[in-house]
Amino acid sequence: MTLDDALAALQAAIEPGRAEQMTAYHKQSRVVLGVGNEVLNDLSKTWRQDLDLEARVALASALWDTDIFEARILAAKLLTQARIKEDAAVWELLQSWVPGFDSWAIADHACSAISKRLQAEPARLDLVESWTVAEAMWTRRAALVATLPWAKLSNPKAADLEARERILGWAEDYVTDRDWFIQKAIGWWVRDLSKHDAARARAFLDVNGDRLKAFARKEAMKYLRD
């Protein structure tokens, strides 16, 4: 599978008129082809099965470098997999993308792939912590979005609880950041946590809720009951 083959597959799946809608919705200045997410899911599933890891990493890197909207999402999907033996090359590529995040859709798909690698090797949270003080908002946001699995654990082990508290510390440091996407990420993290540990989510909001923007506080409290 070459880059040209992959781009041809994307070109073949373009839906007339969809690119304009997607460009407006995602506020993109890069090329948007107009390919639906279901197609990207199907292509990535097929190529994950057909290509070995080295080929997938090479293809994902090439797709990302095109800077085409759907190609970047497809690149992330190619590397979103729970079990990858000897995943160092995948991790290196994924983290190299983070400074280039500038769009929530691309960032969220890449963060989904990153989260799998963090779960596989939680020691990588040490590097993610450096993102929390980055100048770029999208990098700071990625620290919360990529660690969402720790908000969703129903039966966390001691190490998971330690990681969860660490990440909640990052979220608390973000509370005074007034950027909409940062506030949204805090609300998202605490909302997901509330479905699995309502008491801890409430404790976070008792301390920080009044300092969140109203929409983020509402998001965080979505599943909590008085």
Side-chain angles (χ1 to χ4, degrees):
M1 172 67 64
T2 67
L3 175 60
D4 286 344
D5 293 333
L7 293 178
L10 288 174
Q11 290 283 345
I14 290 173
E15 298 179 32
R18 185 160 186 161
E20 293 78 8
Q21 297 172 12
M22 291 173 61
T23 297
Y25 178 72
H26 292 286
K27 298 179 173 62
Q28 292 296 294
S29 57
R30 59 175 46 86
V31 172
V32 178
L33 300 175
V35 178
N37 195 54
E38 64 282 357
V39 174
L40 302 181
N41 285 337
D42 289 343
L43 289 174
S44 63
K45 181 179 179 180
T46 297
W47 296 346
R48 283 198 305 268
Q49 293 172 342
D50 293 347
L51 302 175
D52 63 23
L53 183 59
E54 183 178 359
R56 277 196 288 135
V57 170
L59 180 57
S61 180
L63 284 166
W64 186 271
D65 287 346
T66 67
D67 199 29
I68 296 170
F69 180 75
E70 291 93 336
R72 286 201 159 186
I73 291 176
L74 183 53
K77 288 179 179 290
L78 278 174
L79 302 181
T80 304
Q81 182 177 333
R83 293 180 178 85
I84 301 178
K85 188 177 181 181
E86 299 180 359
D87 68 349
V90 177
W91 173 243
E92 288 299 319
L93 180 59
L94 289 171
Q95 63 174 296
S96 77
W97 293 346
V98 174
F101 289 171
D102 60 6
S103 162
W104 66 264
I106 293 173
D108 286 2
H109 281 92
C111 282
S112 182
I114 291 169
S115 73
K116 301 297 186 184
R117 308 283 42 86
L118 293 175
Q119 289 173 279
E121 183 48 75
R124 289 166 174 160
L125 288 171
D126 291 346
L127 183 141
V128 175
E129 186 162 17
S130 71
W131 301 351
T132 67
V133 294
E135 182 176 351
M137 178 276 291
W138 291 104
T139 301
R140 299 195 305 276
R141 176 182 178 272
L144 289 186
V145 178
T147 56
L148 276 168
W150 277 275
K152 300 176 182 180
L153 294 171
S154 296
N155 298 293
K157 298 178 181 178
D160 297 320
L161 290 172
E162 183 178 350
R164 177 182 285 175
E165 289 305 311
R166 182 182 190 180
I167 299 160
L168 284 169
W170 304 345
E172 188 164 1
D173 289 342
Y174 284 178
V175 165
T176 56
D177 190 321
R178 310 321 284 169
D179 189 281
W180 189 94
F181 282 102
I182 294 292
Q183 291 280 312
K184 178 70 173 180
I186 298 169
W188 185 3
W189 217 98
V190 178
R191 180 201 69 192
D192 282 2
L193 176 62
S194 73
K195 292 187 283 186
H196 303 276
D197 189 342
R200 185 64 186 91
R202 285 186 182 280
F204 180 90
L205 291 170
D206 286 346
V207 174
N208 301 291
D210 289 344
R211 297 191 293 155
L212 289 170
K213 286 191 173 183
F215 83 89
R217 185 169 60 251
K218 182 178 179 180
E219 181 75 11
M221 298 178 65
K222 182 175 182 179
Y223 299 112
L224 292 172
R225 298 290 183 266
D226 295 331

